Amino acid sequence: MSSCLEEARALAGQGHRCVVWLDDLEHYLGPSLLDQTVLRDLVDVRAVLLATMRLSEYNRRAPRQTGTAKGDDVYARIDLSDPVLKAAEIIDLRRRWSDTELTRTRAQSDPRLLEALRHHERYGVAEYVSAGPSLWDRWRNARYLGGNPRGHALVSTVVDLARSGLGPVSTELIVSLHNGYLADEESVMLSPEPLDEAMAWACQDPLGASRLLIPAGQDLWRPFDYLVDMLSQQPDAPPVPDAVREAAVEHARSVQERYSVGVSCYRAERSDLALRAFLPSAETGHVDSMLYVGSILLDQNRETEAEAWWRRLAKAGNARGMLNLGVRCHRKGQRKKAEKWWRRAYDSGLPDAAVRLASLHEDRGEHEQAEMLWQTALDAEVPDSYLRFGLLAYQRSEYDEAEKLYLEGARRGHRECTTNLAQMFFMRENHEEAEKLYLIAADAGDCVAMRALGYLNEWRGRFRPVDETPEERGRRIGESLRNLLDEAEREGKWNGAAKSAKEWYRRAFDAGDLMSLRLLGNLYQRRGKYGKAHKCYRRAAKLGDPASAAYFNQPVLAYAPQHAVPYDDGDEWDETPWRPSPRTLGVLEAALEIEADMAAEGLKELQDRPITAKDWGIGCFDVLPAQTWNQSLSWRQQMIQAFDDLATDVKQGSPPRPRCTGEEMALHLALEHAAAITEDSPELTEEFTKGLPEQPDDYDWFACKDLLFEDHDVLMLYKPWMEGIEEPSNSVNQHMRLANLRPDDWFKPFREQDARDPDRDVRY
């Protein structure tokens, strides 16, 4: 490239412009060849650079991001793509010619072109003229009976070495590896031909156009490019054997070869081999190899070693090394050092650093500087900027603009943009496109997308059809409710969708998404796997998910035995309203007072701060539905008063009849407490009921639960699948005509006549 650049400069000095044409661009990319410096020099002399590159080679070096996410500060967007390709304007040369090109070809007299025209529907004209399809068939069919199995193995070896990133290879290396392709029983039965005959067959030029193995120097060979391209397009292409990758790492000699082999190994998820390939070049100062080494060490959680490579890059003036070193400093709490490195990276021309600096300025309230940097990042098409401006557009309800920005970010490989774009498709009920995008984001490691895929799989088929009428919607909601509350469904078998959902939830949790553990518990709960659901909820709660804690706190009469009350058939029907026995009311009154006193004691510590999973045992507040866990001090005082009011009802000789949602919840908790007292503490029971007459229906807590309430709607708040049901806009809420389930409405009387006397004695 140096001689080419000098000639371009000379022509520029004479007032001429020139075009530099590079065929097979991959052979020119790399250190001391065509890098950012040479590219900038060509631009300075106003030269036009044109180049061609096969699709498989482009895909190997195409713009992409890699690395490991580490909390809020991520290394995941370390750009390891080739800078020359990033700067290029890509023109896709389609394999099939246009009608105009075909018309011009028909006017030619060359018999090879005319023959190719007869096959252009199946093959491209150029590939047919170059004998590509014929040589592909020659290679693939050589393995069968009557063919050339050893020749096939030799060509396969060279093709896979090329797929591994190695350049021209020696006959000795080919021969040493090819037996691995003959090791299976079928190949042995074919009686492979002698080595000399096989090599001659592979190097023949049967059509006068090309050959399977092409000479590339003294005793060096490379495969016919078409074979590599076609194999890379096969959906069932076999992976490169480990022995071949090992050999490629061992025999890579030049910096460029080692880099190419390393990239191939890394993308095949063989980071151990990739590290071996990159290290020699990295030690000599090859920037891209150093970036990869740092990224691989980070993947292996060797952050300190990765930092050493970032530091070497930064000290050598590499802007990306400065950026990543800044991330490392920021993770260690060294904010000033982080800002210094990001500022240096930005001043060195790296727009990605503008995102980091913008976030720092926003944290300090310096919004004008932050906005300028965000705009700089957007102008430079930094992926993070599309997420930020997309979120802003979404918050302004500019959904078309948000979708456009997310799409641009997704095209550049930004995971969160891809997930948010999928969410927008989902909201528009385009579930098929949403799922495709979620899969892309999940494959890139986005745990939110994994969670969404679990949800999609779990509820597949229950989405609202686009052309649904109001009547059909009503019927669908009714059917969904019946299914949702049907014991048969809860105890149903695991179908394919549920199994797929379970796996996605597990993957999301393994990737750090805590909510997915709760959703996995929901899935188990709906399938009747209550023990497993409980384990998921408890584990999620211990890790800090408050809703999960509430799921296994629903009040139940676990201690209460069912009563069989004697009944005389001869008795006339008693039309007197049922009421609990005196001894039952005595224990219930005590349970209400104990709950109120415990809640008041816990409130002294809790005050008005939100409840977390660490607040277990703090009065009754930690066992209330999670929707109530961030309520105010005055709300909690009203909850305590609900216990007091119900206890007063009993003192005054009336059964406790809840008049609002808060009192319903208080009575449920008190019944659970009372049942535990009568089952576990007979001495305490006697103390609370001293002097009261015994009756056959004493302590029938199930009858209390059935007959003291108008309904048990409040307990729906504990059901994992009922999230959001408290909102009046919720379709299930509307269909069931639920009332006062929002915490703000808990102490509103069900009816005007139910209102408590405002002048009654109150605790607060």
PDB file of all heavy atoms in Angstrom, residues 59 77 283 329 450 504 562:
ATOM      1  N   ASN A  59     -18.595 -10.490   6.063  1.00  0.00           N
ATOM      2  CA  ASN A  59     -19.291 -10.854   7.296  1.00  0.00           C
ATOM      3  C   ASN A  59     -18.311 -11.123   8.432  1.00  0.00           C
ATOM      4  O   ASN A  59     -18.607 -10.896   9.603  1.00  0.00           O
ATOM      5  CB  ASN A  59     -20.172 -12.085   7.065  1.00  0.00           C
ATOM      6  CG  ASN A  59     -21.396 -11.757   6.233  1.00  0.00           C
ATOM      7  OD1 ASN A  59     -21.816 -10.604   6.166  1.00  0.00           O
ATOM      8  ND2 ASN A  59     -21.961 -12.752   5.571  1.00  0.00           N
ATOM      9  N   ARG A  77     -20.045  -2.747  24.509  1.00  0.00           N
ATOM     10  CA  ARG A  77     -20.039  -2.088  23.218  1.00  0.00           C
ATOM     11  C   ARG A  77     -18.629  -1.694  22.796  1.00  0.00           C
ATOM     12  O   ARG A  77     -18.378  -0.599  22.341  1.00  0.00           O
ATOM     13  CB  ARG A  77     -20.988  -0.898  23.239  1.00  0.00           C
ATOM     14  CG  ARG A  77     -22.400  -1.377  23.513  1.00  0.00           C
ATOM     15  CD  ARG A  77     -23.431  -0.297  23.495  1.00  0.00           C
ATOM     16  NE  ARG A  77     -24.676  -0.895  24.001  1.00  0.00           N
ATOM     17  CZ  ARG A  77     -25.283  -0.498  25.093  1.00  0.00           C
ATOM     18  NH1 ARG A  77     -24.805   0.487  25.791  1.00  0.00           N
ATOM     19  NH2 ARG A  77     -26.386  -1.088  25.487  1.00  0.00           N
ATOM     20  N   GLU A 283       1.131  -8.390  21.672  1.00  0.00           N
ATOM     21  CA  GLU A 283       2.402  -8.065  22.327  1.00  0.00           C
ATOM     22  C   GLU A 283       3.262  -7.153  21.463  1.00  0.00           C
ATOM     23  O   GLU A 283       4.063  -6.378  21.976  1.00  0.00           O
ATOM     24  CB  GLU A 283       3.167  -9.351  22.643  1.00  0.00           C
ATOM     25  CG  GLU A 283       2.499 -10.242  23.687  1.00  0.00           C
ATOM     26  CD  GLU A 283       2.570  -9.655  25.084  1.00  0.00           C
ATOM     27  OE1 GLU A 283       3.160  -8.580  25.256  1.00  0.00           O
ATOM     28  OE2 GLU A 283       2.033 -10.287  26.021  1.00  0.00           O
ATOM     29  N   CYS A 329     -12.259   2.624  35.302  1.00  0.00           N
ATOM     30  CA  CYS A 329     -12.090   3.558  36.416  1.00  0.00           C
ATOM     31  C   CYS A 329     -13.445   3.906  37.033  1.00  0.00           C
ATOM     32  O   CYS A 329     -13.589   3.987  38.256  1.00  0.00           O
ATOM     33  CB  CYS A 329     -11.391   4.830  35.939  1.00  0.00           C
ATOM     34  SG  CYS A 329      -9.657   4.587  35.479  1.00  0.00           S
ATOM     35  N   MET A 450     -35.093 -11.790  26.865  1.00  0.00           N
ATOM     36  CA  MET A 450     -35.312 -13.189  27.256  1.00  0.00           C
ATOM     37  C   MET A 450     -36.594 -13.316  28.072  1.00  0.00           C
ATOM     38  O   MET A 450     -37.377 -14.248  27.880  1.00  0.00           O
ATOM     39  CB  MET A 450     -34.118 -13.684  28.074  1.00  0.00           C
ATOM     40  CG  MET A 450     -32.802 -13.737  27.324  1.00  0.00           C
ATOM     41  SD  MET A 450     -31.437 -14.209  28.430  1.00  0.00           S
ATOM     42  CE  MET A 450     -30.011 -13.824  27.413  1.00  0.00           C
ATOM     43  N   TRP A 504     -36.740 -19.796  28.745  1.00  0.00           N
ATOM     44  CA  TRP A 504     -36.386 -18.386  28.545  1.00  0.00           C
ATOM     45  C   TRP A 504     -36.321 -17.646  29.876  1.00  0.00           C
ATOM     46  O   TRP A 504     -35.443 -16.809  30.086  1.00  0.00           O
ATOM     47  CB  TRP A 504     -37.385 -17.717  27.603  1.00  0.00           C
ATOM     48  CG  TRP A 504     -37.095 -17.973  26.158  1.00  0.00           C
ATOM     49  CD1 TRP A 504     -37.858 -18.660  25.269  1.00  0.00           C
ATOM     50  CD2 TRP A 504     -35.927 -17.545  25.430  1.00  0.00           C
ATOM     51  NE1 TRP A 504     -37.248 -18.702  24.042  1.00  0.00           N
ATOM     52  CE2 TRP A 504     -36.060 -18.013  24.109  1.00  0.00           C
ATOM     53  CE3 TRP A 504     -34.785 -16.821  25.758  1.00  0.00           C
ATOM     54  CZ2 TRP A 504     -35.117 -17.787  23.124  1.00  0.00           C
ATOM     55  CZ3 TRP A 504     -33.833 -16.586  24.772  1.00  0.00           C
ATOM     56  CH2 TRP A 504     -33.997 -17.060  23.480  1.00  0.00           C
ATOM     57  N   GLN A 562     -61.551 -28.614  59.444  1.00  0.00           N
ATOM     58  CA  GLN A 562     -62.942 -28.472  59.013  1.00  0.00           C
ATOM     59  C   GLN A 562     -63.864 -29.031  60.103  1.00  0.00           C
ATOM     60  O   GLN A 562     -63.602 -30.092  60.669  1.00  0.00           O
ATOM     61  CB  GLN A 562     -63.159 -29.242  57.705  1.00  0.00           C
ATOM     62  CG  GLN A 562     -62.441 -28.635  56.518  1.00  0.00           C
ATOM     63  CD  GLN A 562     -63.239 -27.494  55.898  1.00  0.00           C
ATOM     64  OE1 GLN A 562     -64.255 -27.069  56.462  1.00  0.00           O
ATOM     65  NE2 GLN A 562     -62.772 -26.992  54.779  1.00  0.00           N
TER      66      GLN A 562
END
